[in-house]
């Protein structure tokens, strides 16, 4: 049965490859381009729903709220073309599909570093999702100071002819990391004149924010331990009170 499904998926991909993912030059105003973007939008909606359901499940069943907020976006057509040019790829549908992995993007912002790794683990276990690649910029920050956890996944999108897998990029970071990344982007976006000294300052501030994240995690862990110890004491005390009543 599984082999039959895989064969159907391969046939569907070949159909898409012959009809949509061609060596033809990209025309962002064409129906073909709109059809391809529709697939990415569908993958984005599917994955966003999965994440929202995970967030609601954790809150309701575990009283755990690791996800502060979720953002989604589809890359602008002009930005897709710019990225292909920057990486010396052809402006074709084939190269767009093959080399641009972040056309559909999701950002998950968490409270603490531990939350990030927990969310990564849960995302990996979502049925049907294929993990293509992972990059841990928490352990190895970029030279700019940027920190985040990146995943490229393939999401099954069901269309009338069957199921096709579409790439989605997921970025997972803390509130502090998101603050730094947004400010850094605004300072550097289309600004080639930023000095080396200013760039070094941004790296320094990223390290400061990382220390704040670590200290907040320590604080949260201590509060959790205190809460657990208090609960244990209450359970033991209730046990003693019940025993006295029985006697």
């Amino acid at each position: 049965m599984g082999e039959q499904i895989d064969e159907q998926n391969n046939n569907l991909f070949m159909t898409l490859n012959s009809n949509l993912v061609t060596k033809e030059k990209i025309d962002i105003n064409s129906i073909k381009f709109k059809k391809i973007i529709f697939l990415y939008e569908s993958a984005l909606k599917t994955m966003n729903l999965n994440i929202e359901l995970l967030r609601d499940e954790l809150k309701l069943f575990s009283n755990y709220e690791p996800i502060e907020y979720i953002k989604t976006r589809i890359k602008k057509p002009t930005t897709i073309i710019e990225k292909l040019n920057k990486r010396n790829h052809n402006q074709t549908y084939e190269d767009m599909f093959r080399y641009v992995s972040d056309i559909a993007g999701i950002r998950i912002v968490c409270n603490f570093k531990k939350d990030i790794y927990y969310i990564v683990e849960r995302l990996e276990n979502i049925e049907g999702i294929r993990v293509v690649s992972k990059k841990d910029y928490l352990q190895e920050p970029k030279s700019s100071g940027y920190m985040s956890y990146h995943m490229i996944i393939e999401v099954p999108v069901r269309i009338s002819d069957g199921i096709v897998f579409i790439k989605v990029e997921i970025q997972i970071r803390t509130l502090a990391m998101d603050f730094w990344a947004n400010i850094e982007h605004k300072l550097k976006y289309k600004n080639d004149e930023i000095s080396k000294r200013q760039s070094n300052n941004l790296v320094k501030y990223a390290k400061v924010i990382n220390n704040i994240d670590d200290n907040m995690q320590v604080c949260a862990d201590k509060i959790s331990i205190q809460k657990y110890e208090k609960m244990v004491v209450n359970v033991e005390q209730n046990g003693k009170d019940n025993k006295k009543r029985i006697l």
Side-chain angles (χ1 to χ4, degrees), residues 45-210:
K45 290 176 182 177
T46 299
M47 197 61 209
N48 186 53
L49 178 60
N50 279 319
I51 296 168
E52 288 181 344
L53 289 173
L54 172 61
R55 179 188 60 191
D56 294 346
E57 174 212 324
L58 292 173
K59 181 178 180 180
L60 183 61
F61 289 90
S62 304
N63 195 28
Y64 177 37
E65 299 181 61
I67 299 175
E68 189 67 21
Y69 57 85
I70 307 162
K71 288 185 176 181
T72 64
R73 67 105 182 94
I74 291 289
K75 219 172 196 50
K76 294 179 180 178
T78 52
T79 309
I80 295 172
I81 301 297
E82 288 173 4
K83 191 160 191 175
L84 287 170
N85 290 337
K86 187 176 181 179
R87 296 187 175 182
N88 296 318
H89 296 305
N90 297 317
Q91 295 181 28
T92 63
Y93 295 107
E94 183 180 64
D95 280 14
M96 167 184 161
F97 195 83
R98 180 176 295 175
Y99 297 116
V100 186
S101 300
D102 61 344
I103 292 174
I106 299 178
R107 182 181 303 160
I108 303 173
V109 178
C110 302
N111 294 301
F112 304 105
K113 284 185 176 180
K114 281 185 179 178
D115 297 333
I116 294 174
Y117 293 106
Y118 178 80
I119 294 299
V120 169
E121 183 180 354
R122 291 298 302 266
L123 294 182
E124 289 176 329
N125 290 324
I126 294 176
E127 186 177 359
I129 299 300
R130 299 175 177 176
V131 178
V132 177
S133 66
K134 298 186 290 183
K135 291 183 180 179
D136 188 348
Y137 293 116
L138 280 71
Q139 299 298 324
E140 296 183 16
K142 291 185 177 182
S143 58
S144 64
Y146 175 85
M147 298 180 70
S148 185
Y149 197 105
H150 286 201
M151 301 175 71
I152 302 295
I153 62 171
E154 288 182 333
V155 179
V157 174
R158 186 177 296 277
I159 56 178
S160 56
D161 293 328
I163 297 174
V164 61
F165 285 84
I166 301 296
K167 290 178 184 175
V168 175
E169 182 193 55
I170 302 178
Q171 299 176 359
I172 314 170
R173 59 179 70 148
T174 65
L175 282 162
M177 294 173 194
D178 195 50
F179 162 77
W180 181 92
N182 287 330
I183 297 298
E184 190 260 1
H185 178 74
K186 288 180 180 178
L187 291 174
K188 286 188 172 182
Y189 183 65
K190 293 186 178 179
N191 184 8
D192 298 328
E193 297 180 1
I194 188 167
S195 68
K196 185 175 180 181
R197 181 179 178 181
Q198 289 169 329
S199 293
N200 290 338
N201 281 337
L202 286 171
V203 174
K204 180 175 69 174
Y205 301 149
K207 291 178 180 178
V208 170
I209 285 177
N210 184 45

